[in-house]
Amino acid sequence: IAFGVEPIVVHLQLRRVPKPLAIGIVFLCLLGIIVVGVVVIVPLTINQVQGLAASIPTYVSTLQAWLTSLQGSLQERLPGLHIPSTSFDLGQLGAARLSALATGTISSVGTILVNTATGFFVAFSAIVLSFFFLLNDSQITDGFASMFPESRRSTARNLAAEITQVFGSYISGQVIVSAITGVVVGTLSALIGFKLWLILGIITFVGYSIPVIGMLIVQAIALILCAPQGGWMILWVQVITFGMARVSDNILVPKIMGDSVGVSPIGVMFAVFAGGELFGVPGLLLGIPAAALVKLLWRYFVSPWLHAQLDKR
């Protein structure tokens, strides 16, 4: 959080806002977002999740119709292909299991509320801690530099400043772009009558923050969520998610983030997939700034050492 809001604090300071006041303004805005989340977004999301759970039989019947149509199409085009009659039969799942799943999801709303309240408490604590990180950033930088020999402390301070700039620009830019993308997708979906527009907006916010594959996953989930509302709803929601992703990629990202991390496209793909393989979702989210950090460490420490060794020869 401290990395993410630091560029905003710096921007306010450049407009001659005193640092403590700038930090206070930013964190009051963050606390306001948490209040809106608790009062407005969480109840709406829970209502839509309950509706989604209650609609599971409808989703299954729609998917069964699709699979039956696919089976007929395959047998028509490939008459020699033998397909077991039960291969595309979702009825094997059993109505009792589906009803139990829906009932269990609805009854777990209390647990969801408790976990949500816990999550917001942790978020509030993290915001308070981040406030003190930003307020005492110079002392933290001095402590980091003190771990190095006297002759390298200036380099350590420059390194710390670059790390802050890279991580801060990436995190704040990614959050802003993802939030705009999620809000636009959710709003446009609501305008065309999609019932689960808020869930789709939240999924889009999370998905867009995962480079390369995030929006592909979002579109796959959107396809399933739209199924009960028919083909036209599927088409329009796919157009909205795909179109907004392209707008974000080609307009918002260059304007808001620019070349904030300085990692090549190939490096971005490698960082995302390697981070996801090693650390799961956190690796997908932080793979790119981690790659930028490795690049910085190489430039500050490994590259000078290699040049020194070559000069000795």
Side-chain angles (χ1 to χ4, degrees):
I1 294 173
F3 274 127
V5 302
E6 193 267 346
I8 303 173
V9 173
V10 171
H11 178 74
L12 292 175
Q13 285 184 268
L14 292 176
R15 294 179 174 273
R16 297 184 178 180
V17 178
K19 182 177 179 179
L21 179 59
I23 295 173
I25 291 172
V26 170
F27 279 91
L28 281 175
C29 291
L30 289 178
L31 291 174
I33 292 172
I34 289 181
V35 171
V36 171
V38 171
V39 174
V40 179
I41 296 177
V42 171
L44 284 174
T45 304
I46 290 175
N47 286 336
Q48 291 195 4
V49 169
Q50 287 178 306
L52 178 61
S55 302
I56 287 178
T58 305
Y59 281 95
V60 172
S61 62
T62 304
L63 184 57
Q64 180 65 71
W66 288 356
L67 292 177
T68 302
S69 175
L70 175 61
Q71 183 180 11
S73 178
L74 287 174
Q75 288 179 335
E76 180 181 340
R77 288 171 172 75
L78 303 170
L81 180 64
H82 174 68
I83 302 176
S85 58
T86 58
S87 298
F88 292 86
D89 186 12
L90 293 180
Q92 299 176 82
L93 292 174
R97 290 185 182 180
L98 295 174
S99 299
L101 178 61
T103 304
T105 303
I106 294 172
S107 63
S108 65
V109 169
T111 304
I112 294 173
L113 287 172
V114 172
N115 291 336
T116 302
T118 303
F120 277 111
F121 175 76
V122 172
F124 177 80
S125 302
I127 287 176
V128 173
L129 187 59
S130 302
F131 177 88
F132 287 103
F133 277 155
L134 277 176
L135 203 59
N136 300 287
D137 57 346
S138 58
Q139 292 92 325
I140 295 173
T141 302
D142 290 340
F144 172 73
S146 66
M147 295 187 293
F148 292 83
E150 186 70 35
S151 59
R152 303 303 299 272
R153 289 181 182 176
S154 176
T155 302
R157 287 189 177 89
N158 293 335
L159 173 63
E162 287 203 44
I163 291 174
T164 301
Q165 191 275 329
V166 167
F167 271 80
S169 298
Y170 179 79
I171 293 172
S172 60
Q174 191 69 61
V175 169
I176 291 171
V177 173
S178 298
I180 293 174
T181 306
V183 168
V184 171
V185 168
T187 302
L188 293 180
S189 300
L191 291 176
I192 63 172
F194 180 46
K195 295 178 181 178
L196 303 177
W197 58 272
L198 182 57
I199 292 177
L200 180 60
I202 294 172
I203 293 173
T204 302
F205 169 73
V206 176
Y208 193 83
S209 64
I210 302 175
V212 183
I213 62 173
M215 286 306 293
L216 296 177
I217 298 173
V218 170
Q219 289 192 260
I221 296 174
L223 177 66
I224 298 172
L225 295 178
C226 294
Q229 292 188 252
W232 282 108
M233 185 60 69
I234 293 174
L235 175 62
W236 281 113
V237 170
Q238 291 294 314
V239 168
I240 289 171
T241 52
F242 180 82
M244 188 58 206
R246 301 291 75 77
V247 170
S248 298
D249 290 343
N250 297 299
I251 298 177
L252 297 180
V253 169
K255 286 186 175 297
I256 294 175
M257 297 181 67
D259 188 21
S260 60
V261 294
V263 179
S264 67
I266 295 178
V268 166
M269 294 182 66
F270 177 81
V272 170
F273 288 116
E277 179 67 24
L278 293 173
F279 304 107
V281 175
L284 290 173
L285 296 173
L286 297 177
I288 295 176
L293 176 60
V294 170
K295 182 178 178 181
L296 279 175
L297 294 176
W298 179 280
R299 179 159 59 85
Y300 269 87
F301 298 106
V302 180
S303 183
W305 180 81
L306 289 176
H307 281 89
Q309 297 302 313
L310 290 174
D311 291 341
K312 289 180 181 178
R313 297 183 180 180

